[in-house]
Each structure stands twice: as structure tokens, then as C-alpha cells.
Amino acid sequence: MSEALDALVIGGGPHGLTAAAYLAKAGMRVALLEAAAEIGGTCANALALGDLTVPAGAQTLYALDPRVVSELKLVRFGLKFAARDLMQIGLRTDGKPLLLGRDARAAARSISAYSQRDAAHLVDFRRELFAFARAQRALWWEDGPPAALPDELRRQGATGAAAMLDAAFESEAMRAVFAFDAMAGGMSPAAAGTALLFAWRAAQEMCGLQGAVAVPRGGMAALAACLSAAAQGAGVEIRTGAPVARLLLSGDAVSGVVLASGEEVAARIVLSSLSRRETLLNLAPSGAAGFAAAKRLTHGAEVGEAKFVMTLKAVPGFAALQPAARFLIVERLENCIAAHAEARAGRLPAELALEAVVPTAFDTALAPPGTDILSVLVRPLPVVPAEGWSKLAPRLSEAVMAILERHAPGLRANITGLICVTPKPLRDPLEISQLRASWRARIATPIAGLYLCGEAGEPVPALSCRAARIAAAIAAAHLKGAAR
Amino acid sequence: MRYDACIIGAGADGLAAAATLAARGLKVAVVERDSHPGGRCATREFHPGFRASPYTDELPPIPAEIFWSLDLARRGVVLAPASASLALWPGRQSLLPAPAGRAEAFRQAILARVLADSAAPANRGWFTPRAPYAPWPGEELSTRTLSEALEELTADPAERANLMATFLTGRVCNPALAGSALQLLGGARGGMAAGGLGRLGEALRVAAQEAGAEITCGLEATDIRRKAGRVTGVGLADGSDIAARAVISTLDLKRTFLSLFSWSELPRALVDRAGAFRPAPGTARLLLALDALPEPPVGTEACALRGPIHLAPSAAALDEATHAWRRGALPARPPAMLRLVSAVDPSLAPSGAATLTVTLGAIPHTPFDGAWTHEKRDRLSATALAIIEALWPGLAKRVIGSELLLPPDMEQMLGVSGGDLAGGELAADQMLGLRPFADPDCRGGRTPVQGLYLAGPSSALGPLATCASGVEAARAVAADLVARRL
Amino acid sequence: MNALRATPFHARAAEANKLNAWETRGGFTLAAGDPGEAVAARFGAVVADISWHWRASISGARAGEFVSRLVTRDPARLQPGEAMRTLWLNDAGGVRGLGTLARMGRESFLLISTVDDLGWLADGAALYGVQVRDVTQEVGVLELIGPSGGKILAAAGLEVELQPFALRKLFWRGLDVTLSRFGDGIELWCAPDDALIVWDRIAAAGRPFALCPAGQRALDILDLESGIVQPGRDFTPVRDGFSPKPAPQSLGLGSLVEADHIFNGKRGAAGPDKALVGLLFDSETPAPQTYVMRSGAVVGRTLGSLLSPALRRAIALAAMEPGAAAPGTVLTAAGAPCRTCALPFLPPR
């Protein structure tokens, strides 16, 4: 590091790479520090599964900011999508699956087996939800001044997802298919304000389609590679194998970081893509975050999700319905509320909600022919179970296998490899009030010059890179203001 | 004869509304299904010589201005001051003074705001601009959890559980859910009435009648008559009609809109909202007649027995009970609150004897395996007595008579949907500005139906204060009559 | 749960409390006394029981770092045995406490205030691995206020030269005591068991100097006359972690905030600086916590206000805009006319 740096970015995941790229494009001298040997964070293919390597993080992209894609010219760096609009399919044991694609009429056909009223109502539900979501983009996409809350936003901010789904749909099947998304961020579907989670999801845009869920060609690692190339192309200096031990403060403001090796790196601003808890409690000096804020941060998220990735000899049966789909396997919405309470108490819930994706069904390059990958997210689970993960993980695997076997008989016999990623213990808990707060409130920290550009800055923790883009803008403005 | 207002239900809110309107010189008729007025304000002799208020020992406080304007003190209402509550755990106990603080400040601010809202006439003009939204006092509670809100008061988990039980007073909720902090608003207690709540009901009846209101008992209101979208009167069970320019319903939301109207004549959104208004977890009441004052548990002073006694409250038990209620299961260990009512008011029991009321939370209206049978009732009574005996040995053998009131009984006796005395769950989307309607025009007791006003437990002030929602609706009626909006 | 506590001097306070007027502060039962006792402090001296003040002991390897972050003035300049008056704020800059911070040893501090805030200190101390303990009941403290204070102590055998805001441990005829000057008078600290002996010794030594016991009401009046602001009585400290009100400047306490010191809540909203002035009313009716007006415009707010028997007028401490703070300005508070005065109201003793 020969010249003095303007900005340092901690964390080489997609959020950190995006923030670094934007800062470099704004003319700053930026360095990015990644603790692992490989760039990419949770998107990197870090887990070994037989001969393959798979990522530990999200399995689909539904919130990537389209402006990041266009402004960083990711397409030029090789970003392609293997699937642009995954269909939402609800698998049920008590009847035929619900096929909820973008075409409402086709969706209505599969719903009418359960309820005619719901089939008719889905069109209105979607239309109202999407319209409301678009209206909230001023709050969720831009860092403008916080607008006066319209009545509907306030009302939804007080409504629980369970109440909203109960009012919208009468059939158990329809309520259950949305139950998985209602538990995003470790929230219970009955908690006030979780109705906004649907609106937030609907406010996103992938590949030009509102509320779409996409998968990059080559998996999430390809996204990380594109972002890395974009960042390097913009002039970011990327250092891997450089874990940060703590922040350096001069007075009240950040002045750099100290690596675990003891090396000091000076910079005028620091953007951290780690969680708020990690940044303010572990990296910042004691008390720098404020006593009340630190006390609030000591409680990490109590409920999280686990990820299972398995290699199979053959595609599971349900993938024949529609290869490019996300399969939601939930029995009843009410059971999810009870399951959340059980997870909060540290136990394995009796009922689980699953989201399964078969990426090899639409992206054949991910695995050699004859091998298929099944990626499953499981909610809600205790982050720190009472008995410990070493005891709980096998029971969880068994429960997940049993659920999958019900919908894909013979699956167990086809499994050639299985890996389980347990919930990360240092995640920030989701506070629904964050969904109504401004970007600056989430991104700025009590320490001058320190900004959060990762999931901590997002209203809902998701791979969106919007916080990174906005944090970079705020940081650049700060530097320019300081220069004057 | 055409009345200015007809009030459905002669409970505390209905009678307060009647007294307020009649005092302004308006012609008021009150229709009550039961043979005597009072509603929740009743005293019941459940065993020869033993009396208790059957539904609840204490109602939410009556605002001071209403207490004085209705002259309740001279009419025989004496309310005991709020007392400290005792929590009994196996082997220890803890005494907690009556809680106050920010929740009380919010309550007062909400009361003031709604009463002011009601005094302004309905905003139905073309040219009146919509007032900008003013955040409600206490709105910050709707994103916080009850455990977190109580964490500010005390860090000790046992004391927090005790505080939680004190605020919930026999109700249950899931204390870890965002929005559960709103239970703090419903936790204020107005004190036990000397002679039982029946004295309060009697005083309110006298206040209403002396002001000039006509109270008809024994007749049920079955319909609300409308003409050209405006309310014209109330249809009664015997076929007769009461013509009125305005109708105040003190029934809960579901009963008002789903049983007094035919669904087809109401806007779809209104029917949906009434149907989707979630009930609060129900409570059951066990009234016990004891032949002698029981020995207090070891280490308790006699004065501690004057207040509510919570049996081993814990946040985990509350959580579990709420989930059991949701599934319709009979709780194995329902949260229980005891009150030795005769220790405060000796007239409720013969001398030397004692009356004990037990409030059990999270009791389903209809258990998942069928309606309440005698066997299930006995089992619940036995469970409750066993829990009490475990923490207060020697009490069970003093019981000489008892009565169990379950949600279906309360539904039948009071006419509350689902036996839910709270009139709807105190959740974030059903409180403050959203109770019961989100429409800003529906302030101060008004409803989307022109000429119909809602008071009672399902209105914004229902869980916060007694008689206040009635007075609020009455003021709204008076303001709208004057402004010729009716 | 909160049984009323008695201070170590309770027995003597009960004898001295001729009016049988009691009050509660901080959970302790204290003699309220007669306001007229405040005048006695201008003649000889008065002795009052301030054992009820909340005291917290902070100790640990990083205690200095923690305390530095906690309070609004830099404690590094304090030597063991020195103290300073300081504020501590919540995360948004609202005043959580106002008190005296004394350094007892290299990494050992004592924080004294009239309103307790142990929870906040414990939360902060947890981040530094420092121990915080409530030591209120481990000590009995008497305050001697008045021109004869020093002479009485000398007569009792405590001959010591103390600087303001200093404390000294002494061995006094078999008892371990500490003397300090944190306020207007001299504080004498002792172990609770020795309290009555200490009281008797002081009372005996003070007889020729017209020493009277004083209750809490007199202490309040003496504080006001000297311009000492106390939390709880003169303003309500914030108990939230994130509310920015009251800001130190809005209470006229901006002088207790050092601009170049780093403390919790520094980045909060500060607000325009107000001056802390005294108000002398024309009548005997006090006007606490009201707005102060000058020709119809609000120019400040009163904090605490009481009737001063020495001046025979009501006095108040107020936080005023600098323009209206010149001594002699005529103002109105709660409808009553008043005049600004420089603090302290009465010449120092």
C-alpha cells in the first residue's frame, strides 16, 4: 500500500465489491480487504461437496439492484442469467402442486383445485401488491429524505404477514405457499409489520421483471467474479487473506484498520460489509458505538435459516413440473408461527418450511452430466440451539430428508453427497422499523467515517447491493465535503 | 316517536353515552338484551352469601373528567386504589408495586386525543382538506416487543416476568412478537369497586335515567334500519322498531357489523375488516367460595393478599399458552391470576369466610376436540385448583362452592363474540389509529356507515378506559347532529 | 420489594426532627426539616445528612478508559484524591446524569449523584470488563455548611486544609473517615457503624459555634442559593438510550461539556448554548419548571425554584438565552415578575 488510501472496504463479498467499485469509479483510491483466500464472501464456491464446490450463501437472486448491473456494466464482465423468472411452486401432500408463475390465468387453474375464490383473488392480490410496492420504491430504492408515511404503509407496517395472508386467501394451500417468504430475516409470520416483507420483495426487479427471482449462469460465484472484475477494472486494490482485527480511530473518527497480522492500513473512510454487530462490537473499540446501541446489539438474531446442498444421481421428481422454479414446501401457515416460537426457544421445530431449487435443471454447466444439485433453505431454525448444533444437525438432516422424500420418493437413494450450512451466529436481528427508516439511518454509524455497506444497510437482509451503492455515494460525498 | 340516538347495549359504555347525550337535552333510548342493565359491571351471587364480579374484578380506569361529570361518587361508586401485586413462585415470592410510567403517559395522551377527535364533526365535506397524519402517542410501541419494553424497567428476568403478568392481568400474549408492547396500554386497572362492579353498573344506570334516557331491558336489537345509506333506527326482537337519527352500538365489531346487518348491504371492505378482526386469547373465570380465610403462603404478609396474585409467571409459559390457545388445545398450565376479593371488600363474603376469584388465560372458546362438556369443565376446574394448591397449600380444602365461567358462557351472558371481553386482540394492526378502522374519517367512534357509531371494547379507547368510548361516541353524535351531518 | 431504607444517621435525625416532617429521596427516609434552617448556615453552620446520595464505585483494569468515555470531561487530569463535576449523556446526547466524579486510585473511581443510574453504568462497564458497584449504603456522609464549618472540624480534631473538589482519608481518634469538598460545604464520610459516634462528636464540637442540624429542604435551598443544579430536582434526566432531550446546553450546563473530549453521545444534537442564571422573584411564590418570558417572547426556562428564607423572596435557577441573561434584566416567569441575578445569590462564605 504505497499511496495513502481514501477508502477501505472490509469484506470481499458482493456488497463489498460493489461498494469498492463505485468508490473507485467516483475517483477514490480504494482498497478492499477480504479475510479468506478467495474473493466472493458467501457467494464464493467455498464448500466442498464431493468433486464440486458450492457457495454457502443465498441460492437465488431476487433483490439485486438493476442500477448496479447497468452502472457497473456487469454484463460486459460476463454476467448472464440461467433463469430469469423462477416460478413459485408450492408442493403439497394433500393435493396437486400450486404453480404460481407470472401468468395469472395459468396460476388460477392450479389454485382452483383448492379454492375458486383464491384463484380469482390472486390477480387482484398481485396487482395491488405490485402497485403498492412500486409506490414504495421512493423509500426502498433511493436515499431521499424520509417522506411522510402514507396510510397504507403505516397500516401494513403494523400488520403481521399471517393476518395479511389470512385476509387475502381462504385456502390453506395458498397461505402456506407464501409462508416461507413471511419468515425472512428470522421473523415470525405473526409479528407486526411482516406484511411489509411481501411488499419489499415485490418492489425488487430482476432482469426487468418486477418481483422476479433469477439465478446467474455459473451460480452465485459467477456474480462474485463479475463484480470482482468490475471492481478491479475500476482500479480497486483487492487484498485477500487479510482479516481485519480492529478499527483505528483518531479521536472520534475512523482513521484506518489494523489487520490480524498487526499491519496498520490508514484510510479516511472505512466501509464495512460485515454485520452491524460484528463491526460495532468486535471491530470498533469498546464503547465507540455508544453504550445504548451496544446493549441493543448484544442480542444477535435468535432465529435463522440453514442451507442444505446435495448432489444427486438424478433430478428429483418434482423438478419435472417446471425445471426453472423455486419449490416451497410448507404445510400450514399456523404451524410456522408455532415453529418460530419453538426455534426461539432453542429447539428443533416440529414443522419446517423449505425452499428448494434445482440449479442444474436450468444451468447444466454447474455439474458434470449425470450429477444434479439440489439446494434447500430451511426455516425457522434456532441460531444457537439449546443442545448445540453437533447434536441438532443430524436430527435436522433427518427431518429435511423426510420432508423431501414425501414429495420426491426415492430421493434418499439418489443422494451422493450432502452438506449442511448452519445459521451464522453473528447476524443482526431484523427490526421491522428498519423497513420504514431512511438509508442513511441504516448505513451511517456513530463513528464518523465508518459506514455499513452490507446486509446491515438493507431494510431486509438480502443480496441486493443497493446499500453498497448508496453507502459509496454517501462516503464519496463525505470525502468531497471534507476536502472542501 | 323519533329519538335522537338509540344505544345498543346498556353496559358501562352504553350508559355513559346515554347519560352524556341525555344531559345535552337529546332524546336517547337504550336497548339491552339482558333483563337488567350493566353488562360487564355486574355482581353475581354464585353461592349463597358469596358474591363476586363474574367477568373481571377490575375494569380499566374511568377518566377523571367522566367520573365527575357523571357524578359517580355521589351515586355510590367507590373504587379502591391500585394495589401492589404479588407473584408466587415455588419456594419464593415477590411483591411488585402498581406499575406506572411511560405506558400511563401514553394512555392519557391517547385518551385526550380521541376525545378531542370526537368533538370535531365528521369530515365529510368536499372542500375540507384531509388533515396531515399526526402520529399517535404510543405508536412506537407497535414495533417493539413486550419483553424489550420491560427490559428498560428492569434487567432481572424474574422481575420482568412478574411485571409482564401485572400488565397482562390474566390475559396472555406472545411477549417476543413485535407489536406485543401494546399490551402495556391495556394493563391499567381502575381499582375494585366497593360492593362489586354491580354498584358501578347501578350508578351508571341512575345517571343515565336521571339525565332523561329511556332504558329498555329484555329486548334484543336484531337489525339496524337504513334508508338511502343513512341509519334510521334499530329493529328489535319483538318486531318493533326504534326510530333514531343516530345509533351507537356498544357491541363488539363482529357482532355490530356481521349480525346487525345483512352482509350484502355493507361495503365489501367493511365486511372483510369485521371478519378479519382477530379475537384476543380468551379468559375463563373461576369463582370460589371459601369457608375460612386461608393461611397465606409461607413468608407472605397479609397485606400482600389484597392485590392480584400471579402464580409463577414466566415468559416461556405465556408463549406456550398462546400457542396452545391458537391450536384450540386445553392448556396444561394456564396462566392464572388470583384475587382474594373479600380481603379488599368484606361485603362480598359472609364474615369469617372468603371469596376468591381466579382468572385463567388462554382458554379456547371451542376446544379443537369439540365443545365444552361438563367433563372438560370439571377437568379445567380441577387443573386450576391443583395449580393453586401447589403454590398456596391448604386452599383447596377450604372451597365450599365454585362457579366456572368459560368464553362460551360469557358469549351467552354478555353477547361478546367468541367470549372475548377485550373486543379484539391488542395487536399492532388492531390498536390506536387502526382500531377498528384505518380510515381517518372514522375518528372518535364514527364508522363507515353514516349514522352508526361504535363504542365498547372494539373501539380505540375500549381497552384503555371504561366509559370513555361511550362518551367519545356520544360527543361524536352530538357534534354531528349539530353540524347537521346526520 | 422496596422497603424504605434508613440512613446510618437516622436515629439522630429522628431526634432532631422537631417538626416530624419526613420525606423520601432515593428510597431513603429523611428528615425534611424546616426551610428556616437554611438561614442558620449563614450564621454558624448546619450539619445535614447526605448519605442518601447515590454512589457507584468503578474499578478494573480499563476503568480509566471507561470513565473517560462515560463522562463529558476528561478524567485523566484527576489525581487520586481529586474530583470534578461532570455530566454523562446517552447515545443521542441527552443528559442522563449530573454528578461528581472522584478518582480514588489509579484505576478506581467513585461517581456520586442524587439520581441513581447504575443500569447505564453497568451496560457500559460490560463493554470494558470493568466492575461497577453501588456503594451507597457502605458509607454515611454528613455535610457541614457554613462559615464555622472549618472551625468546628478543627475543634473536633480534624485539622485539614482541603482544596475544592478534593478528598482526603484521615484517621480520627480511632475512626477511619474521609473529608471532601465537593459542594459548598465540607463532607465527612464514615463507616455506617460509626455514624452515630461521628454525629455526636460533631454535635459536641459544634455547640459553641451554633451548629444546627438541617433537613433536606434546607439543603435544597442552600444548593439553589449557590447555583448548584441537581438532577431529579431541577430537571428530569432522560432514561431512554436514544432521546436527545434534555441537551446539556438547554439546561445551561454547556460548561460541563469539553469540546475536545470524546464521550458517549458526543455526536448528538447539541443545540444553542444557554446560560445558567439566577432569577430573583418579587414575591414568595416559587416557579419551578416554567417558561421565562420577556415582553411576551420565551427567552428561557426555570429549573428548580424555592423560597429563600435568607432573601425572603423566591429564587430560581434558569437556563436562559445569552441575550436575556445580563444581570438586572426584568422578566416574567409563570406570570410573576423577576430579575436576573449573577450566581451565587448570596456572597460566598
Side-chain angles (χ1 to χ4, degrees):
Chain A
M1 220 76 60
S2 46
E3 305 164 338
L5 286 172
D6 292 316
L8 263 179
V9 179
I10 305 178
H15 302 278
L17 289 166
T18 309
Y22 271 100
L23 282 170
K25 277 171 55 123
M28 315 280 156
R29 281 183 295 273
V30 191
L32 183 137
L33 301 171
E34 163 60 48
E38 256 185 57
I39 212 74
T42 51
C43 290
N45 283 338
L47 300 175
L49 182 63
D51 296 327
L52 302 170
T53 49
V54 291
Q59 51 192 22
T60 54
L61 269 185
Y62 59 91
L64 186 63
D65 193 339
R67 294 166 300 180
V68 169
V69 175
S70 62
E71 286 165 9
L72 293 183
K73 303 195 175 41
L74 293 182
V75 175
R76 202 187 294 169
F77 288 101
L79 181 67
K80 288 201 224 324
F81 286 98
R84 284 168 187 277
D85 188 14
L86 292 184
M87 186 188 280
Q88 193 178 346
I89 297 187
L91 296 177
R92 307 217 38 93
T93 48
D94 60 352
K96 298 175 85 67
L98 285 169
L99 302 162
L100 304 177
R102 198 154 285 267
D103 181 2
R105 267 192 308 259
R109 272 199 295 277
S110 69
I111 302 173
S112 50
Y114 293 92
S115 158
Q116 289 289 358
R117 177 189 170 282
D118 286 350
H121 190 62
L122 179 68
V123 181
D124 297 324
F125 176 76
R126 267 211 191 139
R127 187 183 49 234
E128 282 164 18
L129 181 68
F130 278 27
F132 172 68
R134 272 195 307 274
Q136 304 315 314
R137 276 191 182 160
L139 177 65
W140 288 332
W141 280 37
E142 309 298 340
D143 177 35
L149 286 188
D151 294 333
E152 186 58 26
L153 180 63
R154 199 175 312 109
R155 196 182 66 78
Q156 288 221 11
T159 311
M164 183 186 106
L165 291 173
D166 282 346
F169 302 113
E170 62 175 15
S171 65
E172 207 44 65
M174 280 302 282
R175 291 177 187 166
V177 89
F178 289 104
F180 181 84
D181 292 331
M183 291 193 282
M187 300 293 295
S188 165
T194 39
L196 277 182
L197 290 174
F198 291 104
W200 182 83
R201 249 192 111 98
Q204 310 306 315
E205 193 179 285
M206 291 297 303
C207 311
L209 291 166
Q210 188 178 355
V213 181
V215 180
R217 186 170 294 283
M220 299 299 275
L223 174 67
C226 294
L227 283 169
S228 168
Q232 283 177 315
V236 175
E237 186 181 337
I238 298 184
R239 280 181 66 171
T240 52
V244 172
R246 57 193 170 85
L247 294 171
L248 274 178
L249 295 190
S250 79
D252 205 15
V254 79
S255 66
V257 300
V258 178
L259 302 181
S261 59
E263 180 189 342
E264 287 188 10
V265 184
R268 298 198 288 154
I269 50 169
V270 174
L271 274 72
S272 168
S273 66
L274 307 177
S275 69
R276 186 182 308 267
R277 205 162 163 248
E278 174 95 42
T279 311
L280 292 180
L281 286 190
N282 297 352
L283 294 186
S286 318
F291 296 161
K295 180 172 180 190
R296 259 203 196 163
L297 288 172
T298 43
H299 299 296
E302 291 172 332
V303 176
E305 61 185 21
K307 182 176 177 184
F308 281 82
V309 189
M310 27 197 128
T311 44
L312 306 168
K313 285 188 279 201
V315 166
F318 51 71
L321 287 167
Q322 163 63 263
R326 48 192 280 256
F327 299 92
L328 298 165
I329 309 174
V330 186
E331 282 307 305
R332 284 175 61 107
L333 176 62
E334 277 77 39
N335 295 351
C336 291
I337 301 175
H340 184 272
E342 282 181 79
R344 268 197 83 248
R347 299 191 296 269
L348 179 66
E351 290 264 333
L352 297 166
L354 273 62
E355 180 197 62
V357 179
V358 185
T360 42
F362 44 82
D363 188 357
T364 44
L366 282 179
T371 312
D372 280 288
I373 301 179
L374 173 64
S375 177
V376 182
L377 285 178
V378 185
R379 289 175 186 165
L381 291 170
V383 169
V384 182
E387 53 194 318
W389 272 110
S390 49
K391 292 220 185 70
L392 194 70
R395 285 179 37 217
L396 174 64
S397 299
E398 192 45 50
V400 170
M401 282 300 118
I403 297 175
L404 288 172
E405 188 79 22
R406 257 184 274 156
H407 297 279
L411 185 81
R412 248 191 259 245
N414 279 337
I415 296 180
T416 52
L418 173 85
I419 194 165
C420 168
V421 184
T422 54
K424 265 172 60 168
L426 285 171
R427 268 202 117 114
D428 299 325
L430 171 61
E431 278 176 47
I432 285 292
S433 48
Q434 278 170 237
L435 273 161
R436 286 158 45 182
S438 69
W439 286 94
R440 197 167 287 257
R442 290 186 293 264
I443 290 174
T445 63
I447 301 170
L450 177 68
Y451 298 100
L452 297 169
C453 63
E455 283 187 356
E458 305 281 347
V460 178
L463 212 175
S464 156
C465 300
R466 199 169 284 129
R469 177 175 174 272
I470 296 177
I474 296 176
H478 171 125
L479 278 177
K480 287 199 172 57
R484 243 181 285 122
Chain B
M1 176 167 61
R2 192 159 178 240
Y3 290 91
D4 293 308
C6 175
I7 301 176
I8 302 177
D13 293 305
L15 293 170
T20 313
L21 282 172
R24 290 178 195 228
L26 299 170
K27 291 208 291 281
V28 184
V30 185
V31 177
E32 166 63 41
R33 180 178 83 162
D34 208 354
S35 54
H36 46 261
R40 277 179 307 164
C41 305
T43 311
R44 188 182 171 83
E45 186 161 350
F46 63 96
H47 190 83
F50 292 84
R51 300 180 310 142
S53 308
Y55 309 107
T56 172
D57 298 310
E58 290 185 67
L59 288 173
I62 304 177
E65 46 165 345
I66 298 175
F67 190 85
W68 288 113
S69 70
L70 293 177
D71 214 3
L72 293 176
R74 252 186 342 112
R75 290 179 166 129
V77 177
V78 183
L79 296 166
S83 33
S85 56
L86 178 72
L88 284 180
W89 311 76
R92 67 181 174 95
Q93 51 209 252
S94 139
L95 191 64
L96 202 68
R102 282 167 71 199
E104 182 59 30
F106 284 141
R107 254 192 75 248
Q108 296 293 345
I110 295 168
L111 265 172
R113 168 158 165 169
V114 177
L115 289 172
D117 271 344
S118 63
N123 195 9
R124 300 253 159 111
W126 281 93
F127 300 112
T128 25
R130 175 85 87 77
Y133 177 77
W136 284 73
E139 202 170 297
E140 59 186 72
L141 292 176
S142 50
T143 48
R144 306 187 58 197
T145 70
L146 186 58
S147 346
E148 191 191 293
L150 292 176
E151 230 174 65
E152 273 182 17
L153 294 177
T154 166
D156 175 35
E159 217 174 278
R160 212 181 317 146
N162 194 357
L163 263 179
M164 221 179 278
T166 313
F167 275 107
L168 293 175
T169 58
R171 297 169 302 169
V172 291
C173 75
N174 185 342
L177 275 191
S180 51
L182 287 166
Q183 300 282 349
L184 294 175
L185 295 176
R189 287 287 154 245
M192 284 182 54
L197 285 174
R199 202 67 79 73
L200 174 64
E202 187 56 30
L204 285 167
R205 179 189 66 76
V206 167
Q209 281 181 323
E210 283 182 7
E214 290 174 27
I215 305 181
T216 317
C217 294
L219 268 184
E220 182 174 0
T222 49
D223 296 280
I224 292 189
R225 306 261 182 255
R226 291 206 293 167
K227 193 163 170 191
R230 280 179 177 215
V231 163
T232 55
V234 176
L236 303 176
D238 65 353
S240 60
D241 270 10
I242 295 185
R245 291 160 71 188
V247 173
I248 300 180
S249 165
T250 60
L251 307 176
D252 59 280
L253 190 73
K254 279 196 163 71
R255 204 155 276 237
T256 302
F257 287 102
L258 301 183
S259 73
L260 294 178
F261 291 90
S262 71
W263 299 10
S264 49
E265 60 180 293
L266 289 176
R268 181 64 186 282
L270 182 53
V271 173
D272 284 344
R273 175 63 171 160
F277 206 66
R278 295 186 307 278
T283 52
R285 293 271 290 174
L286 181 61
L287 309 172
L288 298 172
L290 307 170
D291 64 356
L293 200 63
E295 278 296 313
V298 175
T300 322
E301 296 123 39
C303 62
L305 297 179
R306 293 168 59 93
I309 303 167
H310 305 282
L311 300 183
S314 83
L318 270 184
D319 217 350
E320 224 178 277
T322 319
H323 286 289
W325 172 79
R326 234 181 262 271
R327 291 193 309 265
L330 287 183
R333 233 210 102 90
M337 178 180 83
L338 275 64
R339 198 77 199 260
L340 199 58
V341 292
S342 52
V344 176
D345 185 359
S347 70
L348 294 177
S351 65
T355 309
L356 185 76
T357 61
V358 185
T359 310
L360 300 165
I363 306 291
H365 175 263
T366 312
F368 70 96
D369 55 354
W372 285 97
T373 57
H374 282 298
E375 189 198 39
K376 284 190 196 160
R377 282 172 185 259
D378 292 337
R379 214 175 331 131
L380 182 63
S381 300
T383 314
L385 279 173
I387 298 173
I388 301 171
E389 180 74 24
L391 289 164
W392 192 336
L395 191 125
K397 62 178 188 285
R398 303 234 87 92
V399 175
I400 54 173
S402 72
E403 182 171 6
L404 179 67
L405 290 169
L406 294 172
D409 303 323
M410 298 195 199
E411 177 165 19
Q412 193 210 2
M413 289 152 76
L414 284 178
V416 283
S417 311
D420 174 20
L421 290 169
E425 190 183 356
L426 273 67
D429 55 341
Q430 294 186 179
M431 282 290 282
L432 303 177
L434 298 170
R435 191 174 184 92
F437 301 112
D439 187 353
D441 286 335
C442 293
R443 291 276 165 264
R446 299 175 179 93
T447 64
V449 176
Q450 204 176 359
L452 177 65
Y453 298 79
L454 187 68
S458 297
S459 64
L461 293 183
L464 273 58
T466 309
C467 299
S469 64
V471 170
E472 157 205 14
R475 285 190 195 174
V477 168
D480 291 351
L481 281 176
V482 161
R484 294 185 193 286
R485 299 257 198 261
L486 285 175
Chain C
M1 189 187 83
N2 271 328
L4 275 184
R5 300 180 277 175
T7 64
F9 299 99
H10 187 84
R12 296 292 180 268
E15 288 161 18
N17 195 0
K18 296 288 184 289
L19 295 178
N20 204 22
W22 296 92
E23 57 180 52
T24 320
R25 295 204 191 184
F28 286 92
T29 315
L30 301 161
D34 178 34
E37 290 155 359
V39 186
R42 308 279 165 196
F43 288 78
V46 295
V47 60
D49 178 5
I50 55 166
S51 314
W52 59 274
H53 286 194
W54 171 71
R55 286 171 200 91
S57 147
I58 306 165
S59 58
R62 295 173 70 192
E65 219 184 303
F66 165 55
V67 170
S68 175
R69 186 104 206 165
L70 174 72
V71 298
T72 54
R73 296 173 67 189
D74 190 4
R77 71 164 89 83
L78 292 177
Q79 298 294 324
E82 289 181 2
M84 64 181 182
R85 196 125 173 98
T86 178
L87 296 168
W88 59 99
L89 312 179
N90 69 5
D91 282 18
V95 176
R96 264 198 90 102
L98 163 63
T100 309
L101 177 74
R103 187 189 285 266
M104 309 301 275
R106 207 160 59 87
E107 292 290 351
S108 166
F109 294 84
L110 191 67
L111 187 62
I112 307 166
S113 176
T114 51
V115 176
D116 87 301
D117 204 8
L118 193 67
W120 179 257
L121 259 66
D123 290 341
L127 300 173
Y128 292 83
V130 163
Q131 289 83 47
V132 168
R133 217 159 51 89
D134 185 329
V135 296
T136 313
Q137 301 201 276
E138 293 180 16
V139 75
V141 186
L142 290 177
E143 188 171 7
L144 271 140
I145 310 177
S148 313
K151 299 192 203 113
I152 294 172
L153 289 175
L158 283 166
E159 187 95 46
V160 83
E161 237 343 284
L162 261 189
Q163 296 298 317
F165 288 108
L167 70 81
R168 191 92 58 86
K169 287 201 176 71
L170 300 165
F171 190 69
W172 179 36
R173 286 159 36 194
L175 299 177
D176 282 313
V177 299
T178 308
L179 279 181
S180 64
R181 281 185 72 179
F182 292 156
D184 242 359
I186 305 179
E187 294 100 29
L188 174 57
W189 313 35
C190 63
D193 295 332
D194 302 335
L196 299 179
I197 306 171
V198 167
W199 179 286
D200 293 336
R201 285 189 194 172
I202 297 292
R207 220 162 283 133
F209 296 97
L211 178 71
C212 311
Q216 299 303 313
R217 282 192 214 154
L219 269 189
D220 286 342
I221 295 169
L222 289 170
D223 273 344
L224 271 187
E225 286 173 353
S226 310
I228 300 177
V229 177
Q230 297 284 23
R233 180 188 72 203
D234 299 328
F235 68 92
T236 317
V238 68
R239 277 296 164 258
D240 202 74
F242 300 98
S243 298
K245 291 192 175 126
Q249 288 76 9
S250 72
L251 297 171
L253 300 172
S255 56
L256 290 177
V257 175
E258 276 174 20
D260 48 0
H261 179 62
I262 297 169
F263 50 86
N264 195 56
K266 183 165 185 170
R267 286 163 61 72
D273 222 353
K274 296 219 179 117
L276 187 69
V277 296
L279 292 180
L280 184 68
F281 288 80
D282 290 348
S283 69
E284 291 185 358
T285 325
Q289 310 286 332
T290 53
Y291 286 107
V292 183
M293 324 273 273
R294 178 175 62 181
S295 11
V298 174
V299 289
R301 199 170 160 79
T302 58
L303 300 173
S305 173
L306 287 172
L307 168 63
S308 161
L311 298 167
R312 297 217 222 153
R313 289 275 181 271
I315 55 172
L317 291 178
M320 307 276 293
E321 280 164 28
T329 326
V330 177
L331 305 159
T332 326
C338 55
R339 256 175 300 134
T340 47
C341 296
L343 291 169
F345 285 93
L346 293 167
R349 298 173 274 271

